[in-house]
Amino acid sequence: MELLEQIKERYLDRLSPATFRSRLFWKTVEGLALSPLNRPQWKADRVSLAYFLRATRDAYLHRAPVVWCNLLTPSELVLGSGCIPFYPEMAAAVAASAGLAPRFIDRAAEEEFPSDACSYHRCLLGCALEGFLPEPDLLLAVNYPCDSAPLSFAFLGDLYRAPLFVLEAPLPGRERGVEELAGRMAEAARAMAGLSGRREREMMEGLSTAVELSNRALRHLREVEEMRKRDDCTLDGKDAMGNVSVLAGCLGSQAGADFYRLLAEELRERGCRGKNGLRIMWMHLKPWYSQTIFQILEKHGARLVCEEYTHATWEAMDPRDPFPSLARKLGGHFLVGAAERRVSHLVRLAREYRVDGAIHYNHWGCRQSCGSAPLAKGALQRAGVPTLIIDGDCIDDREYQEGQVATRLEAFLESLK
Amino acid sequence: MDEDLITWFCAYTPLELLTAAGLKPVRSFGDPDRIDDSDAFLHPAICPYVRSCLAQAMQEEGPHHAVFVNSCDGMRRLHDAWKDLFPDGFVFLLDLPRNVGKSGERMLAGEYRHLLEALRSWRGREISHAEIKAACRAREELRREYIRAAEGAGGGERLLLARHFQSAPQDAASPAATRGPAATAPGAGRGVPVLLTGNILNPAGMVSLLEEAGARVVWADLCNGDRAFAAPTLAEGESLGEVLGALAAAYLARPHCARMLDGERRHRTLVENALRAGARGIIYASLKFCDSYLYEYPRTREMLQREGIPVLRLESDYADGHAGQVLTRVEAFLEMIS
Ligand code: SF4
Ligand code: SF4
């Protein structure tokens, strides 16, 4: 987070939409990122940082058509079609880490988006309304994990006068639905290739390369997962949780494959730290503006050994047949359909990572995760995993009751010992 | 308990298929006064209609057969909690496209096939396209009856009528037995004409407050109001495939709720309805925590401003115990537009 702090220090008082569209700003940021002081500890993180900085810079400078995506939009599809995927939900997390979210959330409230909606979306809507985000040429949302993306993207499509595509993942067991989804993906890819000027053949080549690279990332991710199951794994989930952005936004790029390759290599090299302690699973996302929860975990010798969103949940794809492959990958996601899938994903993780306890962070306004938290808790308890549900907000620190969270967390960790 | 009763929740439920299977579909309106009973299963920041429905079902004896529509996160979570709590009931989750048009119709017709298949294995008998067509005709008769009954009725009354037509057990054999309460239309013709738009409202809550404040609801664009009866769902065809295709097309041609993607058509219909019914303004009232209506409001407001139609935004917690607090706002709005 040092990098973010330095950027804030230099730019906060003159932060304007124009700042992000200036080449000088990006030069400075890239310079800061290269400084040894700001270099992430893990080699893999250096790769993802460089990738996201480059992609975000290119999106602001409009070096290629920009496509806005939500968490489950397959980045392979966008990259393969020659466009830059931009994930405004991640931008909201970055704004929250920099302590800037409240300002944007208040802007969304002025537009009459009330506080009952997910603050990731209220924050990104506020950013968009203030002109802080790179203009999309197209918006590509998936109808999962939640309703927020298709709905807020509909508003944004009007705001930017850009076309909106919604990819509809079918319910489990609907084979025809997978075919329809593949067809819709092909339609979206053609629209994107039309923007980037790729002909059909180039587009298909681009997509097959993207799928190939995604497969490579998957192979290495599986190695990472095997190593994370070990008692002595040195990677803590509080850091690994950020990899949700890699899983969402980098697959299909060289950086995505390199990221997981380097992570696997480094985990192998770093080897044993020899620490025993409580093994905890984290469900949903974390508050991006505060470290308190993790300090408490550390104080109690507890470590996050797995997180809900950072694991491989699909099989290798066929690069010669990108649309059906990507449709199957998306359709098989554990967040698609009824809660049963999410619940069994969580129980499986808890078993494979031999966790002592699990924490569900209830992000206010997230009907999908808060909505199925009681079921997840019930199933985990039945599987012998004590589970704590804490209410909070990932983005808006004004909705975070630090004292209350700390008391409940401490009591829970004590009970696990 | 009648084994043929089946509960439904969302206005996109294909009632015709349920009736054709010999079932009596009944819409649940939940018990808003016991909403907290659902706390252990559904987070308090989930749609109060959904939570009220679960709370009510928890008080009732089984068998709890139900069809859910995958229309929003709230409905999906209701399905999940219901299935967990009542494992012995017939429980089906029907998908609903957001993309209207041909691909949406294909998808929805495919979903109808899945529903028929599930019904066939539960009920142990095939459902023919002739039975579905007969059920469509019976539904259409009911729809016309609602329109006749609602003629000239006030907002609260229209909602009570709609509730009756949606929740009195109906089967194909006896549609006439479900004739609703006669509309007495007290105060019909009085008050400031407004169009009410939103999702589901409690007839005894927010809507009666509007009338108390001097509004006359001339069109209730709610899924438990006129919207659900605004267009036929008659399907014709010579084969099962044709009938299901036609039924899907009919459901997707009805006026839509805000979860669908074709905002433009929805906005056009809203303005047309307001003009046709002589509304002087629009009251946009929706349940708390309904993302579909919550995210949609700024777009609708913009569009209505462009059209020069005044709009007031209200929110309901379904029980509407504190609805009186908005009385002054409603009165000021009515004064402005009258
Ligand atoms: S936090 Fe929940 S509601 Fe918000 S964007 Fe993520 S999944 Fe959707
Ligand atoms: S508001 Fe829409 S999604 Fe919700 S129950 Fe009514 S028709 Fe279904």
Side-chain angles (χ1 to χ4, degrees):
Chain A
M1 226 24 63
E2 286 83 7
L3 178 60
L4 215 48
E5 284 307 315
Q6 290 195 27
I7 298 172
K8 252 175 77 181
E9 214 164 87
R10 285 190 188 210
Y11 286 97
L12 192 60
D13 49 344
R14 50 202 161 107
L15 202 64
S16 77
T19 315
F20 291 95
R21 288 163 182 87
S22 101
R23 280 167 215 274
L24 187 63
F25 169 78
W26 288 105
K27 263 209 152 67
T28 317
V29 170
E30 279 163 331
L32 287 173
L34 282 177
S35 143
L37 285 174
N38 295 325
R39 229 180 18 215
Q41 196 202 352
W42 294 80
K43 284 186 209 149
D45 288 341
R46 292 174 210 162
V47 170
S48 61
L49 178 66
Y51 170 82
F52 278 118
L53 281 181
R54 206 176 47 242
T56 314
R57 176 201 66 195
D58 290 352
Y60 277 105
L61 302 181
H62 223 99
R63 291 191 168 156
V66 178
V67 174
W68 282 24
C69 308
N70 70 323
L71 184 72
L72 294 192
T73 308
S75 45
E76 297 93 333
L77 198 62
V78 184
L79 290 163
S81 309
C83 295
I84 307 172
F86 179 79
Y87 291 78
E89 290 161 346
M90 288 182 207
V94 174
S97 310
L100 297 173
R103 157 186 178 174
F104 296 122
I105 288 172
D106 291 348
R107 177 66 186 89
E110 280 169 28
E111 193 64 25
E112 298 187 78
F113 287 109
S115 58
D116 292 332
C118 162
S119 52
Y120 278 93
H121 280 267
R122 283 182 288 136
C123 179
L124 73 86
L125 284 162
C127 288
L129 284 161
E130 286 210 4
F132 271 100
L133 298 180
E135 291 80 7
D137 296 286
L138 188 145
L139 300 103
L140 184 60
V142 170
N143 61 337
Y144 289 97
C146 61
D147 295 336
S148 306
L151 293 167
S152 76
F153 277 29
F155 172 87
L156 293 161
D158 276 9
L159 182 75
Y160 291 108
R161 296 178 199 288
L164 164 67
F165 278 75
V166 174
L167 300 175
E168 303 197 77
L171 289 174
R174 314 297 214 252
E175 264 315 303
R176 278 294 309 275
V178 179
E179 282 167 38
E180 287 278 347
L181 175 59
R184 186 83 179 142
M185 283 181 167
E187 219 181 289
R190 286 193 182 105
M192 291 187 282
L195 293 169
S196 68
R198 285 197 180 178
R199 289 169 206 274
E200 178 83 9
R201 228 190 77 213
E202 285 172 297
M203 175 190 85
M204 290 311 288
E205 279 168 12
L207 287 165
S208 103
T209 309
V211 167
E212 187 94 50
L213 287 167
S214 177
N215 282 347
R216 250 189 263 167
L218 174 67
R219 239 183 1 256
H220 296 304
L221 168 58
R222 291 236 156 93
E223 290 166 24
V224 169
E225 292 194 310
E226 282 318 305
M227 275 178 282
R228 289 195 69 194
K229 287 177 190 163
R230 290 170 42 165
D231 282 345
D232 55 5
C233 176
T234 41
L235 182 63
D236 193 302
K238 76 173 192 302
D239 305 316
M241 207 178 308
N243 298 351
V244 65
S245 58
V246 180
L247 208 56
C250 289
L251 295 189
S253 69
Q254 185 61 47
D258 289 348
F259 176 89
Y260 287 109
R261 178 179 53 79
L262 286 169
L263 190 55
E265 268 174 31
E266 212 168 349
L267 280 174
R268 219 172 284 125
E269 280 162 20
R270 291 196 190 196
C272 169
R273 192 167 66 174
K275 254 200 190 166
N276 281 325
L278 289 171
R279 300 171 64 79
I280 305 289
M281 170 167 79
W282 188 270
M283 294 174 278
H284 198 54
L285 295 162
K286 63 179 181 179
W288 297 102
Y289 45 78
S290 163
Q291 291 298 318
T292 335
I293 288 179
F294 306 107
Q295 285 155 0
I296 296 174
L297 287 170
E298 206 161 316
K299 191 175 95 193
H300 285 262
R303 229 151 40 89
L304 298 186
V305 293
C306 59
E307 322 75 31
E308 176 175 2
Y309 296 141
T310 49
H311 298 270
T313 52
W314 70 100
E315 297 302 320
M317 294 177 281
D318 182 353
R320 290 160 308 176
D321 214 6
F323 301 122
S325 300
L326 287 167
R328 264 191 299 280
K329 178 189 173 201
L330 174 56
H333 197 279
F334 67 90
L335 289 175
V336 169
E340 285 158 341
R341 272 179 160 186
R342 177 181 189 221
V343 170
S344 45
H345 167 72
L346 294 170
V347 171
R348 176 182 69 84
L349 284 183
R351 286 214 172 99
E352 288 182 3
Y353 288 78
R354 295 166 287 106
V355 305
D356 301 303
I359 299 172
H360 191 290
Y361 190 67
N362 261 0
H363 168 67
W364 172 258
C366 176
R367 328 281 172 224
Q368 73 87 3
S369 67
C370 299
S372 49
L375 285 181
K377 179 175 175 166
L380 286 165
Q381 308 261 46
R382 282 194 294 282
V385 180
T387 301
L388 172 72
I389 298 182
I390 26 181
D391 287 319
D393 194 301
C394 294
I395 300 292
D396 193 347
D397 59 354
R398 296 167 300 185
E399 301 300 327
Y400 180 66
Q401 315 289 337
E402 188 155 290
Q404 220 175 68
V405 168
T407 316
R408 298 201 53 218
L409 186 58
E410 300 256 9
F412 177 68
L413 293 171
E414 279 303 328
S415 74
L416 295 182
K417 284 183 185 163
Chain B
M1 186 98 185
D2 188 343
E3 260 294 323
D4 292 341
L5 285 183
I6 186 155
T7 311
W8 61 279
F9 309 89
C10 170
Y12 286 92
T13 312
L15 304 174
E16 295 76 3
L17 302 185
L18 304 177
T19 312
L23 293 162
K24 295 172 190 157
V26 173
R27 187 175 195 178
S28 167
F29 284 91
D31 185 349
D33 296 327
R34 301 197 54 158
I35 192 166
D36 297 343
D37 292 1
S38 68
D39 278 0
F41 309 96
L42 289 169
H43 192 274
I46 283 186
C47 158
Y49 167 62
V50 154
R51 294 176 61 229
S52 301
C53 289
L54 191 72
Q56 186 184 33
M58 286 163 66
Q59 295 160 46
E60 291 171 347
E61 292 288 301
H64 296 117
H65 305 314
V67 171
F68 298 84
V69 178
N70 192 16
S71 41
C72 54
D73 286 332
M75 283 287 175
R76 195 158 58 245
R77 297 294 86 105
L78 175 63
H79 157 269
D80 298 334
W82 191 286
K83 204 168 164 192
D84 193 53
L85 273 171
F86 313 120
D88 298 332
F90 168 84
V91 172
F92 189 86
L93 180 63
L94 181 101
D95 216 349
L96 179 68
R98 279 179 198 272
N99 290 302
V100 289
K102 287 293 162 212
S103 72
E105 287 173 20
R106 269 199 310 275
M107 188 268 219
L108 193 54
E111 282 301 301
Y112 291 167
R113 274 194 187 274
H114 279 280
L115 173 60
L116 285 182
E117 182 50 35
L119 288 170
R120 191 189 60 77
S121 54
W122 172 37
R123 307 287 285 181
R125 73 168 183 87
E126 292 291 340
I127 298 148
S128 72
H129 69 285
E131 285 171 307
I132 299 172
K133 285 200 287 189
C136 287
R137 286 193 292 274
R139 277 276 143 207
E140 178 59 8
E141 212 180 293
L142 276 172
R143 188 184 75 86
R144 286 171 189 271
E145 207 167 315
Y146 167 83
I147 294 171
R148 270 194 299 276
E151 177 89 50
E157 248 181 318
R158 297 172 98 85
L159 261 57
L160 283 174
L161 273 168
R163 170 178 291 219
H164 178 80
F165 277 83
Q166 293 183 326
S167 67
Q170 290 146 2
D171 53 47
S174 59
T178 60
R179 205 172 291 275
T184 48
R190 285 206 301 271
V192 186
V194 294
L195 183 147
L196 181 59
T197 188
N199 41 15
I200 302 170
L201 291 180
N202 183 346
M206 187 69 82
V207 187
S208 45
L209 176 122
L210 295 179
E211 291 178 326
E212 212 177 285
R216 180 161 54 92
V217 177
V218 286
W219 185 254
D221 177 44
L222 305 174
C223 81
N224 66 329
D226 296 317
R227 187 165 68 228
F229 298 91
T233 46
L234 261 175
E236 290 300 336
E238 297 312 313
S239 65
L240 185 63
E242 274 179 36
V243 172
L244 295 183
L247 191 63
Y251 267 93
L252 294 182
R254 292 200 313 180
H256 284 311
C257 112
R259 58 87 63 197
M260 301 303 258
L261 269 177
D262 66 341
E264 223 168 273
R265 194 188 78 162
R266 192 171 49 253
H267 292 157
R268 220 178 31 245
T269 313
L270 195 60
V271 173
E272 278 166 13
N273 280 336
L275 296 177
R276 185 184 42 74
R280 297 228 185 103
I282 289 185
I283 296 183
Y284 187 109
S286 59
L287 292 177
K288 265 178 99 63
F289 309 121
C290 171
D291 284 326
S292 303
Y293 278 85
L294 182 157
Y295 281 102
E296 173 60 20
Y297 178 65
R299 287 170 87 201
T300 307
R301 184 203 58 211
E302 272 288 309
M303 179 279 297
L304 291 174
Q305 268 165 2
R306 274 199 308 274
E307 297 285 336
I309 301 177
V311 58
L312 173 71
R313 167 91 164 109
L314 298 176
E315 234 182 20
S316 156
D317 66 2
Y318 199 45
D320 290 338
H322 309 290
Q325 288 167 359
V326 298
L327 196 63
T328 341
R329 282 180 61 213
V330 176
E331 284 169 346
F333 178 71
L334 294 176
E335 207 179 295
M336 183 187 88
I337 62 172
S338 59

